[in-house]
């Protein structure tokens, strides 16, 4: 009789024992269907054993062994065990959450041979200029296929309308389907094909040094690639990838935003046209995600490009991990398994014995500190790769003695005007969508509070609504003050819509485009907007952080930053770190090509070290200042933290739970079981103390030793599980980024 221990998606930290009746071979990592209560569920075999602690009669038999896909590797299971233990999340839930949804269900899955599309003889002979002018998309597809075969995902990345156009081309007989299996895999079958590499540039000396440092190291090594915007980090990734692909390895490239993946996908495909690349992110359909995952597991996909969830992809030939924009907070999952994909990636590279490159223009303080202390190797690029592209000139406009119109100073208006005259683009950055963050009564001081949250309702003018950005509550803008009846209600502060209308008023002829979550809500909108910007159909861009990241707009020469100051006195100690990163990113949008860029920052505090470092493009000085602050205040990266959070409708319940948890923590510290020094702070309301009618509070635990904190958390969790938590949502967040 064989007992197997199975991981199931349950909020319990145990595995579940089942018995295998017949002598079917199973191995750890295999999926099985087992009975659970009245249902049948999918689980993953974690261990095989000959006996169980349960009485034999009580052990239920396995219903079915699912063997249509390969078992998860022992390596991946170890990684998941580590994550479950480190992040204090049930093992079963951790293991199952790493699988694409389809693989968590009992339905059979089949590995679909990917189809590719190729030009037929008649398609190749076709004179494109004879094609009807209106069939622009068909023309684009045909000319793209001239460069090589493409899969449906690649075609879709050309345009969302590609599948329809493709059908027409297939019907006309100009394009044919071929199965990928019938083509030699250029990487897996040496001699049959070659790995084409479009080497766009000769590396600069600094780039070459960075590439050499990574390729010459052997085994695991963590490299922090700190390069200013435009210094050619992507080019370094490409060269490293080429090296690893040539040797038959797979590469995992983690990126922060789904928004950016289609562009990046196309870009890397163009550099390695015949290495199979798949993307993995939450924007894919369940079917596509499963197929891409399987292609990675089979080893056929050589490059996996994905957001944080892709860090758990099985990669039998993994040879290199790259985390681009490693400082980005989106690498941290904020619910369920609260992992940091960057940190898991580092564990994974270490486990596998391969190099990992963390790239950023503004590294996280954690990574920078690790590079300073020698745990990571620091690779720095201080200049832009293109000789002609200089870093922009950054200046501050002191707003304490300046008249502002809708949040814009005269100096900034003038700078915009100059760009309009020269036919260059400008960007105004403001991290607030809507028209104004709050509406106020001038007579009685009434403000537009959200009835459900400890926040304000934001004024959205085009649709005349007050809207809460936390809980979604919305009402029509009142005609008069609900408090005193006064009709004079004033918007206070500025948002993107207000800036947009102020610009329209001042520059009636200018083409202004607002880019924020409201204007890009519909799928494909942002893509269309990007095209407009590239085609020079826009003079002034107004937008939030969506605009800051990774986009290259060659004709953009001015960036204005409207009101960055609130981050300087935020209660979140990471706010100024984030602000610097954001402003350096957004400043990096100016003057990418041959035209010099200028950045104007409106601030009350032009002498603040943050702005001084930005002006001097001196991240190192800024990081040094911040590290000193953190060291003396005893904040990360000098300590390790965990946050216990609770929220519920009853304030008393929330606090009772946290106080009991705190009592248990203190008792544990006095018990002598814990060897390291651990600090237990007081129970305090969350930064947003009420959201969607739930009271929120938290308890911070911290230690100067990661090991000490882990030992404490393991013991503490046992006490936490014994506490009553009905009607509460509780979570433990290890290495929290939000407070
Ligand atoms: P980053 O990722 O550091 O912001 P990119 O890799 O996007 O920088 O490079 C910025 C620009 O410089 C791109 O237009 C790229 O094509 C160009 N570039 C990169 N490396 C080189 C090089 N060695 N020679 C010439 N141009 C380069
Ligand atoms: Zn009033
Ligand atoms: Zn609300």
């Amino acid at each position: 009789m064989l007992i197997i221990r199975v991981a199931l998606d349950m909020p319990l930290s145990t595995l579940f024992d089942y018995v295998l009746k017949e002598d079917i071979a199973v191995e750890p990592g295999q999926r099985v269907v087992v009975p659970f209560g009245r249902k049948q569920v999918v689980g993953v075999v974690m261990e095989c054993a000959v006996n169980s602690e349960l009485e034999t009669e009580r052990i239920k038999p396995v219903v079915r062994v699912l063997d249509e896909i390969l078992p998860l590797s022992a390596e991946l299971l170890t990684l998941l065990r580590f994550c479950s233990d480190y992040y204090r999340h049930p093992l079963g839930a951790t293991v199952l959450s790493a699988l694409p949804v389809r693989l968590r269900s009992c339905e059979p899955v089949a590995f679909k041979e990917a189809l590719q599309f190729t030009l037929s003889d008649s398609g190749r002979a076709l004179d494109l200029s004879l094609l009807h002018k209106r069939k622009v998309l068909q023309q684009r597809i045909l000319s793209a296929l001239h460069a090589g075969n493409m899969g449906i995902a690649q075609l879709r990345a050309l345009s969302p309308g590609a599948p329809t156009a493709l059908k027409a081309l297939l019907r006309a007989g100009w394009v044919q389907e071929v199965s990928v299996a019938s083509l030699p895999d250029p990487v897996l079958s040496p001699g049959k094909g070659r790995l084409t590499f479009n080497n766009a540039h000769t590396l600069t000396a600094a780039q070459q040094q960075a590439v050499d440092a990574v390729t010459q190291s052997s085994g695991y090594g963590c490299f922090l690639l700190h390069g200013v915007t435009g210094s050619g980090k992507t080019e370094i990734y490409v060269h490293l990838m080429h090296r690893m692909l040539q040797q038959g390895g797979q590469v995992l490239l983690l990126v922060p935003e789904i928004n950016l993946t289609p562009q990046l996908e196309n870009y890397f495909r163009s550099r390695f046209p015949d290495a199979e690349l798949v993307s993995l992110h939450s924007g894919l359909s369940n079917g596509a995600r499963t197929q891409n995952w399987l292609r990675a597991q089979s080893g056929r996909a050589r490059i996996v490009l994905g957001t944080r969830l892709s860090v758990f992809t099985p990669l039998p030939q993994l040879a290199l991990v790259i985390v681009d924009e490693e400082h980005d907070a989106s690498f941290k999952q904020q619910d369920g398994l609260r992992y940091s994909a960057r940190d898991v990636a580092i564990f994974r590279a270490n486990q596998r014995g391969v190099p990992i490159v963390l790239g950023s223009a503004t590294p996280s303080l954690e990574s920078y500190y690790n590079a300073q202390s020698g745990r990571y190797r620091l690779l720095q690029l201080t200049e832009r790769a293109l000789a002609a592209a200089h870093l922009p000139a950054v200046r501050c406009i002191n707003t304490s003695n300046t008249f502002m119109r809708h949040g814009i100073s005269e100096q900034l208006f003038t700078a915009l005007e100059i760009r309009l005259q020269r036919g260059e683009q400008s960007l105004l950055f403001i991290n607030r969508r809507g028209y104004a963050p709050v509406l106020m009564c001038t007579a009685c001081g009434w403000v537009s509070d959200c009835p459900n949250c400890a926040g304000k309702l934001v004024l959205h003018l085009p649709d005349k609504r007050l809207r809460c950005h936390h809980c979604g509550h919305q009402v029509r803008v009142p005609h008069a003050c609900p408090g005193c009846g006064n009709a004079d209600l004033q918007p206070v502060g500025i948002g993107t819509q207000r800036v947009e209308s102020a610009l329209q008023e001042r520059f009636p002829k200018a083409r202004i485009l607002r880019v924020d979550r409201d204007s890009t809500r519909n799928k494909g909108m942002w893509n269309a907007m990007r095209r407009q910007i590239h085609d020079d159909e826009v003079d002034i861009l107004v937008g939030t952080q969506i605009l800051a990241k990774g986009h290259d707009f060659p004709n953009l020469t001015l960036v204005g930053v409207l009101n960055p100051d609130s981050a300087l006195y935020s209660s979140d100690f990471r706010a100024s770190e984030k602000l610097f990163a954001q402003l350096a990113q957004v400043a990096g949008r100016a003057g990418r090509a041959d035209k010099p860029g200028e950045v104007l920052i409106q601030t009350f505090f032009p002498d603040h070290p943050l702005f001084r470092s930005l002006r001097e493009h001196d991240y190192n000085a800024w990081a040094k200042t911040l590290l000193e602050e953190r060291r003396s205040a005893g904040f990360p990266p000098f300590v390790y933290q965990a946050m216990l959070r609770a929220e519920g409708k009853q304030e008393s319940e929330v606090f009772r739970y946290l106080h009991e948890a705190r009592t248990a923590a203190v008792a544990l510290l006095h018990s002598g079981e814990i060897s390291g020094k651990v600090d237990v702070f007081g129970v305090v309301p969350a930064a947003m103390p009420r959201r969607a009618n739930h009271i929120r509070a938290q308890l911070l635990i911290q230690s100067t030793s990661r090991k000490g904190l882990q030992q404490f958390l393991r013991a503490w969790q046992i006490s936490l599980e014994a506490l009553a938590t009905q009607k509460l949502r509780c979570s433990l967040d290890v290495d929290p980024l939000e407070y």
Side-chain angles (χ1 to χ4, degrees):
M1 191 176 74
L2 188 64
I3 306 288
I4 55 172
R5 308 230 149 90
V6 179
L8 298 179
D9 189 6
M10 303 290 162
L12 295 169
S13 52
T14 50
L15 296 177
F16 297 84
D17 286 5
Y18 290 91
V19 61
L20 261 181
K21 281 239 188 85
E22 292 105 57
D23 45 341
I24 324 168
V26 287
E27 50 182 311
Q30 213 152 17
R31 289 153 66 242
V32 287
V33 179
V34 295
F36 192 87
R38 290 183 180 179
K39 286 189 301 188
Q40 295 192 346
V41 294
V42 169
V44 174
V45 180
M46 299 300 287
E47 293 163 26
C48 301
V50 276
N51 44 37
S52 167
E53 286 172 9
L54 296 176
E55 295 159 37
T56 320
E57 309 80 68
R58 294 190 48 207
I59 309 178
K60 292 189 188 154
V62 171
V63 178
R64 205 152 21 106
V65 177
L66 300 171
D67 54 7
E68 71 264 33
I69 71 161
L70 293 170
L72 301 182
S73 65
E75 189 180 310
L76 193 58
L77 294 182
T78 307
L79 178 75
L80 293 168
R81 275 184 193 279
F82 161 78
C83 288
S84 159
D85 180 55
Y86 186 83
Y87 293 107
R88 309 301 329 145
H89 196 63
L91 181 57
T94 303
V95 172
L96 272 292
S97 72
L99 293 177
V101 174
R102 283 269 165 94
L103 298 180
R104 292 178 225 165
S105 87
C106 308
E107 300 302 312
V109 284
F111 187 89
K112 288 205 197 102
E113 260 316 324
L115 286 176
Q116 289 222 323
F117 298 91
T118 183
L119 290 179
S120 64
D121 291 339
S122 62
R124 204 165 286 282
L126 192 70
D127 182 350
L128 285 188
S129 60
L130 293 182
L131 208 62
H132 198 288
K133 276 242 162 47
R134 275 168 42 213
K135 308 233 160 76
V136 183
L137 186 53
Q138 292 191 20
Q139 289 185 18
R140 266 175 67 204
I141 293 178
L142 290 171
S143 62
L145 288 175
H146 265 286
N149 296 344
M150 293 170 90
I152 190 70
Q154 282 162 281
L155 287 167
R156 209 172 269 136
L158 276 183
S159 156
T164 316
L166 181 69
K167 268 192 202 131
L169 293 170
L170 286 165
R171 259 199 315 272
W174 292 326
V175 173
Q176 293 171 333
E177 281 180 0
V178 281
S179 151
V180 175
S182 63
L183 304 168
D185 184 318
V187 188
L188 286 182
S189 26
K192 286 202 196 150
R194 246 168 5 100
L195 173 69
T196 313
F197 174 42
N198 291 328
N199 189 357
H201 306 289
T202 320
L203 293 182
T204 63
Q207 285 172 321
Q208 188 65 51
Q209 255 176 16
V211 169
D212 290 346
V214 179
T215 51
Q216 283 163 12
S217 79
S218 69
Y220 164 76
C222 185
F223 297 85
L224 178 61
L225 177 60
H226 171 213
V228 297
T229 52
S231 59
K233 295 185 289 297
T234 314
E235 198 61 29
I236 293 177
Y237 303 157
V238 167
H239 279 256
L240 289 173
M241 286 159 93
H242 177 229
R243 179 67 169 258
M244 303 305 172
L245 293 173
Q246 265 182 327
Q247 295 169 356
Q250 287 176 298
V251 179
L252 174 64
L253 172 59
L254 297 178
V255 295
E257 290 274 306
I258 331 182
N259 261 336
L260 289 174
T261 52
Q263 279 166 276
L264 286 171
E265 243 180 284
N266 284 347
Y267 180 75
F268 286 104
R269 280 208 179 99
S270 73
R271 302 300 299 271
F272 302 107
D274 47 24
E276 193 176 318
L277 179 153
V278 295
S279 65
L280 282 169
H281 52 79
S282 57
L284 295 176
S285 70
N286 284 337
R289 202 167 132 198
T290 308
Q291 289 303 322
N292 288 354
W293 189 95
L294 290 172
R295 303 197 75 73
Q297 192 196 32
S298 74
R300 286 209 70 123
R302 314 304 298 178
I303 304 172
V304 172
L305 173 74
T307 52
R308 61 172 180 261
L309 56 88
S310 65
V311 75
F312 297 112
T313 314
L315 294 156
Q317 309 297 332
L318 180 63
L320 171 69
V321 186
I322 298 168
V323 184
D324 190 27
E325 310 290 357
E326 66 89 28
H327 63 278
D328 199 287
S330 74
F331 286 121
K332 172 92 174 163
Q333 166 106 349
Q334 298 294 2
D335 56 13
L337 177 70
R338 291 176 158 74
Y339 64 101
S340 151
R342 177 195 62 210
D343 296 349
V344 174
I346 294 169
F347 180 90
R348 197 167 177 185
N350 191 351
Q351 172 192 34
R352 176 91 196 179
V354 299
I356 175 168
V357 177
L358 311 178
S360 175
T362 51
S364 66
L365 225 45
E366 278 79 5
S367 298
Y368 187 72
Y369 178 60
N370 278 326
Q372 295 293 311
S373 66
R375 286 189 52 183
Y376 300 169
R377 279 195 48 197
L378 185 62
L379 308 171
Q380 285 194 309
L381 302 175
T382 51
E383 277 165 25
R384 288 192 159 177
L386 285 162
H390 294 290
L391 288 168
V394 180
R395 279 186 267 279
C396 288
I397 298 173
N398 188 341
T399 50
S400 58
N401 49 21
T402 309
F403 174 74
M404 311 262 275
R405 197 173 166 71
H406 296 294
I408 306 173
S409 63
E410 201 45 47
Q411 248 174 298
L412 189 49
F413 271 127
T414 310
L416 288 165
E417 189 150 24
I418 294 173
R419 294 322 185 283
L420 287 172
Q421 282 160 1
R422 285 196 210 140
E424 295 170 0
Q425 287 174 329
S426 310
L427 183 169
L428 292 192
F429 176 73
I430 168 166
N431 235 346
R432 278 247 171 216
R433 61 195 171 90
Y435 186 85
V438 59
L439 189 65
M440 196 175 116
C441 169
T442 49
C444 74
W446 170 90
V447 289
S448 55
D449 285 314
C450 174
N452 310 325
C453 303
K456 306 276 182 263
L457 297 174
V458 177
L459 176 63
H460 285 253
L461 258 206
D463 40 0
K464 294 201 173 53
R465 302 221 148 225
L466 293 173
R467 199 171 283 147
C468 176
H469 289 185
H470 300 284
C471 72
H473 175 83
Q474 50 174 311
V475 290
R476 289 183 64 89
V477 174
H479 294 296
C481 171
C484 71
N486 167 28
D488 187 22
L489 296 176
Q490 286 298 324
V492 181
I494 53 167
T496 47
Q497 293 173 354
R498 188 168 188 176
V499 173
E500 183 189 18
S501 68
L503 291 173
Q504 249 150 18
E505 190 186 300
R506 176 73 177 244
F507 305 116
K509 288 202 190 112
R511 296 161 304 173
I512 298 161
L513 181 70
R514 174 167 57 85
V515 184
D516 56 24
R517 197 133 45 88
D518 297 316
S519 69
T520 57
R521 205 167 289 263
N522 295 336
K523 219 178 158 188
M525 285 292 269
W526 178 211
N527 269 336
M529 288 182 176
R530 248 193 352 252
R531 196 162 286 273
Q532 270 181 292
I533 303 169
H534 267 283
D535 295 349
D536 252 328
E537 290 165 13
V538 178
D539 300 313
I540 307 177
L541 287 157
V542 180
T544 55
Q545 59 194 356
I546 305 183
L547 277 177
K549 288 187 186 161
H551 305 291
D552 209 346
F553 303 130
N555 195 28
L556 185 91
T557 59
L558 173 70
V559 169
V561 176
L562 293 189
N563 59 347
D565 291 344
S566 62
L568 298 178
Y569 40 83
S570 162
S571 62
D572 174 0
F573 70 86
R574 281 198 178 85
S576 61
E577 180 187 345
K578 278 187 209 145
L579 177 64
F580 185 92
Q582 240 174 24
L583 295 189
Q585 280 280 344
V586 79
R589 300 306 114 212
R592 302 268 295 182
D594 47 349
K595 295 173 187 149
E598 181 177 27
V599 179
L600 296 175
I601 302 173
Q602 297 190 155
T603 173
F604 241 77
F605 311 101
D607 295 325
H608 192 284
L610 189 153
F611 297 122
R612 207 178 326 127
S613 303
L614 266 179
R615 283 197 295 267
E616 288 159 14
H617 301 286
D618 195 350
Y619 167 87
N620 290 314
W622 168 242
K624 218 171 140 218
T625 312
L626 271 190
L627 278 176
E628 270 155 28
E629 270 176 35
R630 300 267 185 98
R631 187 196 298 275
S632 60
F635 284 147
F638 297 96
V639 297
Y640 300 93
Q641 299 184 323
M643 183 77 88
L644 182 68
R645 298 195 183 90
E647 54 180 83
K649 291 215 160 127
Q650 296 282 332
E651 181 165 2
S652 56
E653 274 295 294
V654 172
F655 282 87
R656 174 202 54 81
Y657 168 79
L658 288 172
H659 281 295
E660 285 176 13
R662 188 174 187 284
T663 307
V666 173
L668 198 60
L669 291 184
H670 290 151
S671 71
E673 271 177 57
I674 307 298
S675 49
K677 185 175 162 340
V678 173
D679 293 321
V680 177
F681 286 73
V683 175
V684 293
M688 181 88 192
R690 191 165 58 98
R691 190 164 73 189
N693 277 323
H694 282 68
I695 303 297
R696 311 165 76 233
Q698 60 198 30
L699 168 59
L700 182 68
I701 308 289
Q702 128 180 344
S703 172
T704 52
S705 145
R706 182 170 249 159
K707 266 216 178 91
L709 181 65
Q710 281 287 314
Q711 187 201 21
F712 168 85
L713 293 177
R714 254 175 237 132
W716 191 36
Q717 198 176 29
I718 299 170
S719 334
L720 291 183
E721 278 166 8
L723 297 181
T725 56
Q726 291 98 340
K727 300 186 204 153
L728 291 181
R729 269 211 302 263
C730 309
S731 65
L732 185 61
D733 188 354
V734 181
D735 304 330
L737 283 186
E738 287 184 355
Y739 293 87

